[in-house]
Amino acid sequence: MATAAWRALRRHLAYCAAGCIRWPPGTGKGGQSRSGSGALAAIHTSHSSSPPGVGCGSLCDAAGAPARGEEPRGPRVLHRRQLRRGGSRRSRLQAGKVYEALDRPGWAPPAWLFGPVWTALYATIGIAAWLVWRHPDRDRVRTALIWWSLQLALNLVWTPLFFAARQYGLALLDIVLLLAALSMTIVRFRRLSLPAALLLVPYLLWVAFASALNASIWQLNT
């Protein structure tokens, strides 16, 4: 379950950003310790501008980055990585243009603010999951990470709905569901780790703010 959840996070981060995740020495793919402790990797972030909204951040796809101590995987892999990052940058630029062209309320933040905010939030999302994963009650951990994965999936869906399909009403429905799933995730995390639950509170507040912004943009542009 944890492996699938982390794969979802890595795919999501690859879609949204550029940066670097490296598994520390002594751990394998998915953060599973070779000694069986199940420790997850530390997350290293890098600043980049990214499109506003729920589905954007500036962390990288670990699948294309060599682990610490490994040799690079060759020019073909590097070329694919460059193409992926180039596409990500183009997507961010396009989303930024869409956002700037919309009628927005006076309290809407500038597009450049979303990148730094999501960089910090994705770090807290990953660390919170790691803290929960360490808990010995595997049944409750599994349930909590199911909710964590659900909110992450809803987070991922928002960006194409809002920026690509321009379906602001459906995007609002998605973000409201995200808000509910995230609230349940925090409740489940609280039963296993108070610090993990607290780490998700800024994320909850930001999603609530983004929900209000989505609703206002929908009203102003229909």
Side-chain angles (χ1 to χ4, degrees):
M1 176 61 221
T3 300
W6 275 104
R7 284 176 181 169
L9 177 60
R10 289 166 64 182
R11 286 195 300 269
H12 184 46
L13 299 181
Y15 176 81
C16 292
C20 184
I21 299 174
R22 298 180 189 273
W23 309 116
T27 61
K29 186 177 180 181
Q32 292 291 343
S33 171
R34 295 190 182 103
S35 63
S37 64
L40 294 177
I43 296 180
H44 300 273
T45 62
S46 66
H47 173 79
S48 66
S49 61
S50 57
V54 172
C56 315
S58 56
L59 301 178
C60 81
D61 177 354
R68 194 175 296 171
E70 288 184 359
E71 292 296 325
R73 300 180 188 177
R76 185 172 299 177
V77 172
L78 293 175
H79 178 63
R80 288 200 300 267
R81 194 185 309 165
Q82 290 168 355
L83 289 176
R84 184 169 60 245
R85 289 180 178 176
S88 178
R89 292 190 188 98
R90 286 192 294 272
S91 297
R92 291 197 300 271
L93 289 173
Q94 181 62 31
K97 290 178 181 179
V98 171
Y99 179 75
E100 295 291 348
L102 290 169
D103 291 329
R104 290 165 288 156
W107 46 270
W112 63 262
L113 180 63
F114 291 92
V117 169
W118 278 107
T119 296
L121 290 179
Y122 279 125
T124 63
I125 292 168
I127 294 170
W130 172 66
L131 291 174
V132 166
W133 171 247
R134 298 172 62 198
H135 196 279
D137 189 338
R138 306 316 298 168
D139 288 336
R140 290 202 295 171
V141 166
R142 186 179 300 108
T143 301
L145 290 181
I146 287 173
W147 282 104
W148 180 83
S149 301
L150 176 60
Q151 65 81 24
L152 198 65
L154 290 167
N155 187 319
L156 174 62
V157 168
W158 186 89
T159 297
L161 279 177
F162 190 93
F163 290 107
R166 313 284 180 93
Q167 295 293 323
Y168 307 126
L170 289 178
L172 179 60
L173 175 61
D174 175 81
I175 200 172
V176 169
L177 293 175
L178 167 58
L179 198 58
L182 178 55
S183 299
M184 183 58 70
T185 301
I186 292 175
V187 170
R188 294 288 181 172
F189 275 26
R190 171 64 182 85
R191 298 172 184 175
L192 299 169
S193 170
L194 177 59
L198 292 177
L199 279 170
L200 292 181
V201 170
Y203 178 31
L204 179 71
L205 295 176
W206 183 256
V207 171
F209 171 77
S211 301
L213 181 59
N214 190 154
S216 181
I217 288 176
W218 184 30
Q219 182 181 16
L220 292 171
N221 290 270
T222 54

